[in-house]
């Protein structure tokens, strides 16, 4: 550790206000480590949140920076609303235009992040299909066969009048070439739109929001929101919808599918979670970010005899991998690698003093990691060409799929060689929880349907008969402006108490694991009687962890399977299902929210949305948009308020379907089901 660097970091920290660890997080490990950081004089995001308050105009969404005549700031004052809204920027832009443009740019940024991740995966898949990179394989040919028709790629061929299966390699190459074209094809609409229920596709067509090429929709937003272009907030929202659909039913969905093809689809797997997964006597390597292409190789490298022997040769008992954020979820769901923590715990993981290397790729990586790493022996390694850090202590090892295993071994070896450099300041909180993660479209079908009656109808049936009141997707990040994990966990407990089956991804999923929500035993402790009965009968947790942020698309596809299985619902907007991002913070969350709303699902965010300074635009997103797609935005300030709004929406849908009376557990016979299906 460079003493001079540490002194500088410590001096800065001492001059500032400190967070109250208990007020900052509901997680004991996090509280212990915030305190530890403060004792060592190292500032963390929790302390920084005490010292910098958000801009009051920025949070209203009405600060315009798109030209150099501004920034023009249009705060909503108390007297606004008493008369006509005369606020305008130098060019005359209204609060609605400014807030809509800012919102649209968040959708563009979020869409580009998920979709560029998808592009990287598609490029690696193309190199695999072309046999140019040998470290990856097609691990899940069934997933490949499943998605091939979405790209109009035939899986069989006629030979001498007979239908025979095409070679997998041949299908892979054609799928890869067609997939990569989705980012820039010059005409037509996205191939994957056909995965949505037909009524939803019809709505998108009717309203003219079917995405064309993915890149085009992002560029379109950036163009129309430059100075002096689109000045109709409804037309800007229309493009938000088009771009967000290019994310949810395009780039993000392809990322998930192609990852499944190359790395295998996840299946439920037991693991642990929280900072306590790190081991004092092991080499600890933490993998952080979003793209699993390199981390898959690091998992394989760290399990090789060569690396384990090397770790033992330096005095360690083995190698402990851990994840942070969504890369962590990717390697959790496929390999059972335990997450060390959520987004807000990334600095704390280094402050344990036991992190021999933290390997980061893209998204959600704090630049302050470099300052924290300076105070310890930790090697901080960036791996992506578009995500470097300016600090001199950061090592850049650029990942290349053509020599992926070589890169991975180099990184693992570097971590092992660093084991001996640990200082005396090691403190790993002995706190971790057991969890089951790795659910997906097929495993939900299997667990709720069984081997012989594998179908979504069992789930449908339990919703119709009221044992399960509805579905609640609780996803997204942490945000240092709210108590870490509190919104997630209070909300989830309230939902399952009211018989709402929860589906989770991202840091919300990690939070649920940390707080014991992801085991089958959870059902007996926290669930209402109906959900408890279902979970205990089939042995699933009442909260199903479906992976990373791009895997929110698994939730869309699971809901689509419910429609295919038959029931009173014909479109996603009919299902008693709601979405929530209680502790959101990222532009990606806005893109996700918009595609979920545009897919017909009520979506509620915690805290605020940066649109409050433009009440008309806000009203459009919160109410009017529902008439187009069936979904709408909402916000809640507390988890209980959020739960009440979500449950009210579920009950509203149940009433519309005529299944609101079924909650007294009347067993449905075939005649009853047919009656409902006919409605
Ligand atoms: S976005 S869910 S902070 S990783 Fe995946 Fe980042 Fe977590 Fe949001």
């Amino acid at each position: 550790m460079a003493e001079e660097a540490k002194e500088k970091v410590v001096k800065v920290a001492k001059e500032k206000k400190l967070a109250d660890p208990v007020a900052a997080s509901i997680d004991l490990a996090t509280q212990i480590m915030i305190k530890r950081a403060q004792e060592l004089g190292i500032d963390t995001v929790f302390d920084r949140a005490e010292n910098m308050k958000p801009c009051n105009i920025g949070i209203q969404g009405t600060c315009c920076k798109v030209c150099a005549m501004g920034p023009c700031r249009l705060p909503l004052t108390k007297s606004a609303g008493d008369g006509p809204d005369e606020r305008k920027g130098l060019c005359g832009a209204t609060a609605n235009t400014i807030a809509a443009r800012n919102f649209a740019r968040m959708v563009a940024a979020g869409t580009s992040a998920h979709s560029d991740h998808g592009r990287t995966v598609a490029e690696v898949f193309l190199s695999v299909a072309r046999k140019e990179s040998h470290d990856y394989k097609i691990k899940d040919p069934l997933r490949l066969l499943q998605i091939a028709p979405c790209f109009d790629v035939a899986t069989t061929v006629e030979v001498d009048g007979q239908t025979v299966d095409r070679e997998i390699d041949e299908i892979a190459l054609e799928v890869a070439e067609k997939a990569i074209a989705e980012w820039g094809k010059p005409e037509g609409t996205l191939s994957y739109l056909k995965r949505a229920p037909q009524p939803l596709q019809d709505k998108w067509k009717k309203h003219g929001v079917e995405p064309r090429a993915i890149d085009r929709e992002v560029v379109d937003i950036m163009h129309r929101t430059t100075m002096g272009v689109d000045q109709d907030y409804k037309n800007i929202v229309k493009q938000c919808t088009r771009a967000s659909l290019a994310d949810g039913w395009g780039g993000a969905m392809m990322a998930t599918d192609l990852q499944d093809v190359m790395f295998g689809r996840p299946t439920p797997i037991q693991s642990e979670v929280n900072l306590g997964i790190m081991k004092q006597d092991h080499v600890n390597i933490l993998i952080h970010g979003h793209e699993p292409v390199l981390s898959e190789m690091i998992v394989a490298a760290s399990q090789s005899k060569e690396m384990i022997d090397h770790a033992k040769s330096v005095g360690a008992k083995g190698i402990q991998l851990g994840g942070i954020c969504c890369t962590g979820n990717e390697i959790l769901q496929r390999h059972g690698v335990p997450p060390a923590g959520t987004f807000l715990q990334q600095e704390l993981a280094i402050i344990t003093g036991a992190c021999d290397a933290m390997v980061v790729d893209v998204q959600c990586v704090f630049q302050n990691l470099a300052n924290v790493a300076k105070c310890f022996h930790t090697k901080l390694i960036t791996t992506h060409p578009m995500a470097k850090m300016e600090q001199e202590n950061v090592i850049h090892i650029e990942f290349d799929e053509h020599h992926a295993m070589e890169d991975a071994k180099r990184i693992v070896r570097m971590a092992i060689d660093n084991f001996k450099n640990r200082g005396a300041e090691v403190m790993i909180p002995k706190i971790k929880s057991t969890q089951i993660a790795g659910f997906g479209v097929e495993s939900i079908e299997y667990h709720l349907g069984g081997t012989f009656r594998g179908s979504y109808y069992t789930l449908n049936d339990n919703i119709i008969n009221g044992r399960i009141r509805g579905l609640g997707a609780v996803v997204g990040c942490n945000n240092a402006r709210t108590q870490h994990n509190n919104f997630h966990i209070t909300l989830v407990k309230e939902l399952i108490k009211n018989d709402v089956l929860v589906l989770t991804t991202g840091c919300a999923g990690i939070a649920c694991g940390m707080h014991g929500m992801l085991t089958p035993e959870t059902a007996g402790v926290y669930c209402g009687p109906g959900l408890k009965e279902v979970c205990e009968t089939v042995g699933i947790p009442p909260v199903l962890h479906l992976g990373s942020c791009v895997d929110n698309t698994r939730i869309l596809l699971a809901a689509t399977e419910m429609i295919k299985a038959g029931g009173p619902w014909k479109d996603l907007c009919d299902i008693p299902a709601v979405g929530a991002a209680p502790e959101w913070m990222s532009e990606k969350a806005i893109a996700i929210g918009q595609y979920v709303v545009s897919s017909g699902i009520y979506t509620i965010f915690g805290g605020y949305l940066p649109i409050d300074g433009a009440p008309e635009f806000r009203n459009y997103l919160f109410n009017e948009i529902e008439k187009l797609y069936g979904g709408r935005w909402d916000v809640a300030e507390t988890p209980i308020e959020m739960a009440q709004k979500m449950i009210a929406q579920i009950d509203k849908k149940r009433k519309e379907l005529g299944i609101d009376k079924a909650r007294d557990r009347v067993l449905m016979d075939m005649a009853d089901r047919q009656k409902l299906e006919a409605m």
Side-chain angles (χ1 to χ4, degrees):
M1 169 177 67
E3 281 308 314
E4 200 185 317
K6 185 179 178 187
E7 272 168 31
K8 204 168 145 201
V9 172
V10 169
K11 183 168 173 286
V12 172
K14 276 189 180 152
E15 289 163 3
K16 302 207 167 155
K17 277 193 258 169
L18 298 178
D20 170 358
V22 177
S25 176
I26 59 165
D27 168 49
L28 186 57
T30 304
Q31 293 168 1
I32 291 169
M33 291 312 298
I34 293 173
K35 187 98 184 49
R36 173 69 172 161
Q38 292 170 346
E39 284 162 6
L40 294 173
I42 300 168
D43 79 71
T44 65
V45 62
F46 300 98
D47 299 323
R48 294 191 293 277
E50 293 297 315
N51 292 284
M52 182 185 286
K53 295 298 164 200
C55 163
N56 186 39
I57 303 164
I59 63 172
Q60 292 189 26
T62 48
C63 174
C64 180
K65 297 188 294 178
V66 301
C67 86
M69 296 194 291
C72 293
R73 298 170 303 155
L74 274 61
L76 186 64
T77 55
K78 283 206 178 104
S79 57
D82 294 348
D85 188 351
E86 287 173 349
R87 293 174 297 158
K88 50 179 178 255
L90 261 65
C91 69
T94 64
N96 289 329
T97 299
I98 291 171
R101 283 199 298 225
N102 289 336
F103 185 84
R105 286 184 170 218
M106 294 180 87
V107 171
T111 298
S112 65
H114 294 136
S115 298
D116 215 34
H117 165 171
R119 187 203 316 266
T120 302
V121 177
E123 283 171 349
V124 173
F125 181 54
L126 182 61
S127 78
V128 172
R130 285 180 176 162
K131 314 271 183 217
E132 291 169 358
S133 61
H134 305 286
D135 294 333
Y136 300 98
K137 302 207 163 23
I138 295 170
K139 273 201 189 156
D140 194 339
L142 287 180
R143 178 69 87 224
L144 177 65
L145 294 175
Q146 189 185 22
I147 63 171
C150 305
F151 295 105
D152 296 321
V153 173
T155 54
T156 56
V157 66
E158 294 292 315
V159 179
D160 299 333
Q162 304 243 321
T163 304
V164 294
D165 292 339
R166 283 180 80 193
E167 290 291 323
I168 284 291
D169 288 354
E170 209 178 283
I171 297 170
L173 187 58
E174 202 179 330
V175 165
E177 283 169 350
K178 289 205 166 159
I180 207 97
E182 293 292 292
W183 274 262
K185 62 186 182 187
E187 52 191 19
T189 55
L190 286 196
S191 302
Y192 257 36
L193 298 182
K194 57 173 88 76
R195 304 196 77 179
Q198 191 59 50
L200 185 55
Q201 293 182 48
D202 295 343
K203 271 182 216 158
W204 294 337
K205 194 178 186 69
K206 179 177 160 200
H207 297 298
V209 293
E210 292 170 297
R212 299 152 292 182
I214 298 165
D215 288 349
R216 178 171 181 178
E217 302 310 351
V218 173
V219 170
D220 182 316
I221 286 191
M222 296 313 288
H223 176 193
R224 77 171 64 213
T225 58
T226 53
M227 199 273 162
V229 186
D230 202 346
Q231 292 155 35
D232 172 354
Y233 70 87
K234 290 183 190 169
N235 204 41
I236 295 171
V237 173
K238 183 174 173 181
Q239 180 55 24
C240 289
T241 297
R242 208 184 272 122
S244 70
L245 294 175
D247 179 5
W249 295 88
M253 196 174 273
M254 283 194 279
T256 292
D257 281 337
L258 296 176
Q259 285 168 185
D260 281 358
V261 171
M262 286 191 290
F263 313 139
R265 78 188 64 181
T267 49
I269 190 165
Q270 183 170 324
S271 184
E272 294 178 320
V273 53
N274 211 342
L275 293 165
I277 64 101
M278 296 172 75
K279 294 186 180 144
Q280 180 130 9
D281 52 10
H282 280 55
V283 174
N284 291 299
I285 305 174
L286 298 184
I287 310 176
H288 175 17
H290 280 75
E291 292 181 1
V293 282
L294 173 61
S295 52
E296 276 290 317
M297 286 298 118
I298 293 182
V299 173
S302 66
Q303 290 169 347
S304 69
K305 184 169 182 313
E306 178 193 353
M307 289 298 140
I308 293 170
D309 287 349
H310 186 42
K312 288 183 179 161
S313 77
V314 300
K317 285 201 172 141
I319 301 168
Q320 176 65 51
L321 283 187
I324 306 265
C325 284
C326 283
T327 293
N329 280 324
E330 298 283 2
I331 52 177
L332 162 68
Q333 65 183 348
R334 294 194 179 88
H335 303 285
V337 172
T342 66
F343 171 70
L344 285 183
Q345 291 171 286
Q346 53 187 286
E347 293 163 300
L348 306 181
I350 295 180
I351 293 166
T352 60
C355 176
D356 301 301
M358 184 178 278
V359 188
V360 304
D361 50 75
V362 287
Q363 304 168 27
C364 300
V365 176
F366 287 172
Q367 184 162 358
N368 198 56
L369 286 181
N371 298 328
V372 177
K374 264 184 211 167
C375 303
F376 298 89
H377 76 303
T378 306
K379 301 271 186 213
L380 180 60
I381 304 167
T382 55
T383 57
H384 202 288
M386 69 161 60
K388 295 187 176 182
M389 288 185 184
E390 67 191 27
Q391 288 95 327
E392 71 290 342
N393 61 319
V394 181
I395 302 158
H396 187 71
I397 299 180
E398 200 151 302
F399 164 72
D400 184 329
E401 69 266 24
H402 298 100
H403 39 78
M405 182 50 90
E406 201 183 309
D407 293 342
K409 282 192 174 169
R410 190 174 156 208
I411 289 168
V412 173
R413 197 171 290 112
M414 191 175 276
I416 295 170
D417 292 340
N418 198 28
F419 178 73
K420 63 177 181 304
N421 297 325
R422 277 195 201 166
E425 295 155 340
V426 172
M427 195 183 101
I428 304 170
K430 304 237 170 301
I431 295 163
K432 59 183 177 179
S433 306
T434 300
Q435 61 172 343
I436 310 283
F439 284 88
V441 174
E442 291 82 6
S443 51
I444 291 175
E445 180 181 64
Y446 171 75
H447 281 274
L448 283 161
T451 310
F452 299 109
R453 55 196 168 95
S455 157
Y456 267 71
Y457 204 87
T458 315
L459 174 61
N460 289 3
D461 214 19
N462 277 300
I463 295 175
I464 294 165
N465 68 28
R467 284 193 187 88
I468 297 175
R469 191 173 194 153
L471 305 177
V474 179
V475 307
C477 321
N478 287 137
N479 185 324
R481 299 293 176 197
T482 64
Q483 190 182 30
H484 172 235
N485 287 356
N486 179 32
F487 217 130
H488 288 310
I489 301 307
T490 311
L491 171 67
V492 164
K493 284 184 179 167
E494 197 62 20
L495 291 175
I496 61 177
K497 187 174 93 188
N498 284 282
D499 293 324
V500 176
L501 178 66
V502 172
L503 310 174
T504 186
T505 61
C507 289
I510 301 174
C512 287
M514 287 166 64
H515 296 275
M517 298 285 109
L518 301 185
T519 65
E521 294 73 32
T522 313
V525 183
Y526 295 107
C527 288
L531 183 59
K532 175 173 179 284
E533 191 182 336
V534 174
C535 292
E536 289 184 343
T537 304
V538 299
I540 57 166
V543 183
L544 304 179
H545 189 343
L546 282 91
S548 68
C549 290
V550 292
D551 296 330
N552 284 321
T553 58
R554 296 190 199 276
I555 301 178
L556 292 178
L557 293 174
T560 304
E561 288 303 315
M562 289 171 64
I563 294 167
K564 287 190 203 157
W569 30 74
K570 305 290 173 236
D571 195 355
L572 298 185
C573 63
D574 302 328
I575 299 175
V578 290
E583 299 183 28
W584 80 280
M585 62 86 202
S586 166
E587 291 161 318
K588 293 177 286 179
I590 297 291
I592 293 169
Q594 184 65 22
Y595 77 63
V596 175
V597 165
S598 310
S599 299
I601 298 165
Y602 169 90
T603 301
I604 186 163
F605 273 37
Y608 77 99
L609 282 166
I611 58 176
D612 287 353
E616 201 178 315
F617 168 57
R618 184 182 197 271
N619 179 54
Y620 186 71
L621 292 181
F622 278 41
N623 296 299
E624 299 296 308
I625 200 167
E626 191 175 22
K627 293 176 197 148
L628 304 179
Y629 311 108
R632 65 184 176 93
W633 285 87
D634 204 352
V635 292
E637 285 182 13
T638 69
I640 297 299
E641 180 196 353
M642 185 175 274
Q644 286 167 347
K645 285 182 162 184
M646 291 168 79
I647 292 165
Q649 176 70 14
I650 285 171
D651 287 350
K652 182 174 157 231
K653 291 291 165 190
R654 295 188 66 87
K655 192 163 185 202
E656 285 169 10
L657 292 166
I659 56 172
D660 52 324
K661 309 212 173 42
R663 275 183 53 76
D664 57 2
R665 313 280 155 67
V666 177
L667 276 176
M668 312 278 289
D669 62 16
M670 191 50 79
D672 292 327
R673 285 181 194 165
Q674 281 164 350
K675 227 185 287 166
L676 280 169
E677 283 177 30
M679 286 175 74

